[in-house]
Amino acid sequence: MTTFAYRLATCLPAWTAVALWPVVGAAQMDEALAKSADWTPPAAVEVEARALEWLNAHKADDAMRSRFAEIWAEDLPAETTLLQKLASTFALVDPRAAELVALCAGPRDALIAPSMPWLMDSSVDPFEAHNLRLLYGRWLVHEAMYDESLVYLASLEPKDVVAPATLLFFQGVAYHALVEKEKGLAVLRRLLDGAEQSPRRYAAVARLMQEDLDGVEPDTLDHIARRMDDIHRRLDLGRAGPKVRGIEDGVIDSLDKLIKRLEDQQQQQSGGGGGGIQSGAPASDSQIVGGKGPGNVDRKDIGDKSGWGSLPPKQREEALQQIGRDFPAHYREVIEEYFRRKAATEKQP
């Protein structure tokens, strides 16, 4: 969803996003358009005037002013182009800005994103620093470096930048990718409150992300699958530190709870299901029982984080069959992958 979200919003033509309107729902978009946003995008002519003022304050020469005129030659550029024009203006004077603009013009060539501490330095003119933080954060999102992007984007407000809808959209994409539900919904709500003054593709994709995040519930297979995808992404980026291990521990905890719930359901079923009262008759051969002996249900010891990954094959298959009945088929693959990884870990000395 996340890769789809930013590629759709930034790479495909506008008519493609308009085609999503039936998916989003006309009534939902009308509701979003009717809301009042707490942010307003600045007019392009105002941004150009402020950029020229910044340039003059930095003692630009005639060659720089000539180049400035070429950069801003187009009338009323789109929001994303406006940000790019402003960044190019900063690059005329500031070598650090020029380096950053060049970096963001292409794909990354390293697993570790370059650090830009000067963007967070209070001594740098906020007009330059804030907008370049948005430029860099947007690039980091495109490169699937969501944690790194939020270092630069999370504390920015729409009033800080010349492209407020772009800021809110890419904050939303990063939170969506990291399954940070509350923060993601808050940002997307602000973006959709101003849908009428946002690029239409942003509003359409933001609505889809909002509905997707709204349905995420903790410790469900959906939540587990998303975090496992995030682990894979981090490992692909060469990340294997404490943060990744913490996410892995959280996934195992969620799987513990999920398997425990399934075992409890199986035990209730084997007990007859009559208001939680166990039947005194022996269980039939077709029932899944949790203990030994006729009608005596022993609770299984699922162990701690490092124990129940080695469940006996029969018991493991019973849990997978229950998952197959209760959830879409692809979730079984998530659990099977978990057991494979668990078995490989436990075999290591």
Side-chain angles (χ1 to χ4, degrees):
M1 173 62 188
T2 302
T3 300
F4 165 76
Y6 75 69
R7 288 193 184 278
L8 177 63
T10 59
C11 300
L12 296 185
W15 60 263
T16 309
V18 174
L20 284 172
W21 244 241
V23 178
V24 175
Q28 292 173 321
M29 291 309 303
D30 287 343
E31 178 185 354
L33 292 172
K35 294 179 180 178
S36 176
D38 63 353
W39 55 273
T40 303
V45 291
E46 295 175 357
V47 176
E48 181 179 357
R50 188 172 179 188
L52 180 58
E53 180 183 348
W54 179 92
L55 193 69
N56 290 330
H58 286 76
K59 299 180 173 57
D61 57 26
D62 291 341
M64 291 177 182
R65 291 191 182 89
S66 176
R67 179 64 185 130
F68 174 88
E70 293 175 2
I71 291 172
W72 292 87
E74 296 181 17
D75 293 333
L76 301 178
E79 181 181 78
T80 53
T81 307
L82 189 64
L83 176 64
Q84 192 65 46
K85 286 175 178 288
L86 184 59
S88 296
T89 299
F90 297 141
L92 293 175
V93 175
D94 190 340
R96 299 170 302 181
E99 180 182 356
L100 179 59
V101 169
L103 173 70
C104 295
R108 63 180 169 85
D109 56 5
L111 290 177
I112 299 177
S115 178
M116 300 285 177
W118 66 275
L119 291 176
M120 313 298 288
D121 190 337
S122 60
S123 66
V124 179
D125 185 341
F127 181 56
E128 178 184 6
H130 290 165
N131 284 285
L132 289 180
R133 280 168 59 184
L134 173 55
L135 183 78
Y136 190 37
R138 183 184 67 173
W139 180 81
L140 290 168
V141 169
H142 276 283
E143 298 301 324
M145 294 181 165
Y146 306 113
D147 294 279
E148 294 88 342
S149 75
L150 289 173
V151 170
Y152 300 94
L153 297 181
S155 61
L156 288 176
E157 287 290 325
K159 63 181 176 58
D160 296 330
V161 295
V162 300
T166 298
L167 170 66
L168 293 172
F169 179 80
F170 281 93
Q171 285 176 334
V173 171
Y175 287 131
H176 178 269
L178 297 174
V179 204
E180 296 193 25
K181 180 176 179 177
E182 298 306 319
K183 291 180 179 179
L185 288 176
V187 165
L188 293 170
R189 195 176 301 116
R190 290 184 75 185
L191 175 61
L192 290 170
D193 284 349
E196 63 183 355
Q197 54 197 20
S198 306
R200 304 192 92 190
R201 60 192 184 279
Y202 282 2
V205 179
R207 174 63 68 181
L208 295 175
M209 288 194 293
Q210 183 186 55
E211 293 181 353
D212 184 56
L213 269 182
D214 197 45
V216 175
E217 295 298 335
D219 300 324
T220 60
L221 274 174
D222 179 40
H223 192 213
I224 291 168
R226 290 168 188 263
R227 286 180 291 163
M228 289 183 75
D229 286 342
D230 186 40
I231 291 170
H232 293 163
R233 177 189 65 83
R234 292 173 186 273
L235 293 176
D236 287 342
L237 290 171
R239 312 292 193 262
K243 187 162 190 174
V244 174
R245 291 194 292 273
I247 299 172
E248 290 172 340
D249 288 344
V251 167
I252 292 173
D253 285 340
S254 294
L255 285 168
D256 278 337
K257 295 174 184 177
L258 181 61
I259 297 297
K260 180 66 166 57
R261 287 199 300 268
L262 293 176
E263 284 193 336
D264 288 345
Q265 292 173 10
Q266 292 167 3
Q267 290 169 2
Q268 290 173 5
Q269 292 170 3
S270 67
I277 302 176
Q278 286 191 345
S279 169
S284 67
D285 292 340
S286 62
Q287 288 178 305
I288 299 173
V289 297
K292 301 177 181 179
N296 297 323
V297 180
D298 297 328
R299 295 179 67 85
K300 293 296 182 183
D301 181 8
I302 64 174
D304 57 19
K305 294 179 183 177
S306 60
W308 62 261
S310 55
L311 287 171
K314 182 179 178 181
Q315 192 172 354
R316 185 180 306 174
E317 184 59 30
E318 288 171 357
L320 290 172
Q321 287 177 358
Q322 181 70 30
I323 289 167
R325 287 192 293 271
D326 293 343
F327 300 98
H330 71 276
Y331 286 128
R332 179 185 173 108
E333 299 175 4
V334 173
I335 303 302
E336 288 178 332
E337 173 67 14
Y338 165 78
F339 281 125
R340 284 193 293 269
R341 288 174 176 269
K342 194 70 176 173
T345 301
E346 291 176 354
K347 287 179 181 178
Q348 295 177 356

